[in-house]
Amino acid sequence: MASQAPPARRGRPPRGAGQLTRTRIVEATLDVIDRDGIDSVGIRAVARVLEVDPKSLYNHVDGKDGLLDAVAEHLLGSIELPTRSGDLRTDLRAIANAFRDRALVHPAAAALVLTRQLASVAGLAPIQAVLEILRAAGCAPAESVHVMRTLLATLIGTVLREVNAGPVYGTSDTDGIAARQAILEQSGLPAVVEAAPYLARFDRQAEFDYTIDLALDMVTARIPPAPQH
C-alpha cells in the first residue's frame, strides 16, 4: 500500500508570510489602486499581486481598512515638507506643491487622505505643519482646522481634475484646442461663445497655480492682520 503524505505541520506560517513587509504591502495596494481604483482594494486582491496566501497579510494590516490606512499614511508621510520661511502664502504654497508632487505619482489614491483617520506621527506630520503655519499667522485653533480642511479638499480636487481633465476642461493639444473651440463657438450660447478660446484650453500648471492663488486669497482674507507695534 502506498504511503500517505505526512500531515501539514501545525503552526506553519502561511505561504509567503516570511517575505512580507508593510512597505511591500503598501506598494502592492497602490498597484491595485492605480490599476482598478480604490473600490477594488481588498486582502485577496493585494495578496494576488504579492503572490502570497491572503492570511499572511493579517500579520501586518487589519483587513481592507488597514490597507487603506497604510496607503493614506504612506502618501502623507512621504511628502517632503519644505523649510518654513515665515510668510503665510509662501509656506502654504510650498506645502501645496509638495503634496501635488506626491499625489500625482498615485492620483487615484489621493482622495484617501480625506477619508481616513490616521493616528501615526508620519501621517499627521503634514497636518501639523499646516496648523503650525496658520497658528503662527494668528489663526485661531478652530479656524485653523476649517482652513486646513478646505485647503486639503481644494488640493485633492485640483489633482483629480488635473489627471482626469475631459472635454469640459479643454485640452493642451494645439489641434484639439482648435477643434474644441470651433465646437464651442457653434453652440449658440453667448457666454460660451465668448469664452470659447479659454474653455478649449487646459493648462494643468496654470490651472493649479490659479486655484492655489484663489485658495490663498481666501485664507489671507479670513486671518486678521497681525497687530502693528
Side-chain angles (χ1 to χ4, degrees):
M1 183 175 64
S3 61
Q4 294 182 342
R9 185 176 56 185
R10 291 184 179 181
R12 186 175 182 177
R15 176 169 54 89
Q19 306 167 4
L20 282 181
T21 64
R22 189 175 177 86
T23 298
R24 285 191 65 211
I25 291 171
V26 168
E27 291 172 350
T29 306
L30 284 168
D31 285 346
V32 173
I33 294 174
D34 290 343
R35 185 178 64 249
D36 301 317
I38 291 174
D39 290 342
S40 298
V41 170
I43 290 294
R44 291 186 178 280
V46 174
R48 280 195 295 271
V49 174
L50 292 166
E51 298 182 336
V52 299
D53 189 314
K55 293 189 292 293
S56 64
L57 270 66
Y58 287 101
N59 295 321
H60 302 271
V61 293
D62 184 18
K64 178 175 180 176
D65 283 336
L67 292 171
L68 297 179
D69 286 346
V71 168
E73 179 182 287
H74 169 76
L75 291 176
L76 288 172
S78 62
I79 296 173
E80 296 184 10
L81 294 173
T83 302
R84 285 168 55 183
S85 71
D87 179 75
L88 175 66
R89 292 184 73 102
T90 299
D91 291 340
L92 289 179
R93 179 183 292 281
I95 290 180
N97 286 327
F99 178 88
R100 177 179 179 240
D101 288 344
R102 293 304 305 159
L104 287 177
V105 178
H106 301 286
L112 283 174
V113 303
L114 285 178
T115 61
R116 313 309 300 177
Q117 293 187 336
L118 305 179
S120 70
V121 172
L124 292 173
I127 295 174
Q128 168 75 10
V130 173
L131 292 177
E132 283 181 345
I133 292 169
L134 294 170
R135 293 289 290 124
C139 194
E143 183 80 354
S144 296
V145 171
H146 288 308
V147 171
M148 182 270 297
R149 287 174 174 166
T150 300
L151 287 174
L152 186 55
T154 301
L155 269 173
I156 291 174
T158 302
V159 169
L160 294 178
R161 178 187 64 180
E162 181 171 347
V163 298
N164 296 305
V168 172
Y169 297 114
T171 180
S172 59
D173 173 73
T174 302
D175 292 337
I177 292 172
R180 181 61 179 165
Q181 181 174 338
I183 291 172
L184 294 170
E185 288 173 344
Q186 295 168 12
S187 68
L189 302 171
V192 171
V193 172
E194 181 182 45
Y198 314 105
L199 287 171
R201 182 184 303 274
F202 185 76
D203 183 320
R204 286 169 167 76
Q205 184 65 53
E207 292 289 337
F208 178 80
D209 291 340
Y210 184 91
T211 301
I212 297 305
D213 277 338
L214 199 61
L216 293 179
D217 287 344
M218 175 274 295
V219 172
T220 54
R222 298 284 297 188
I223 300 177
Q228 300 294 321
H229 297 288

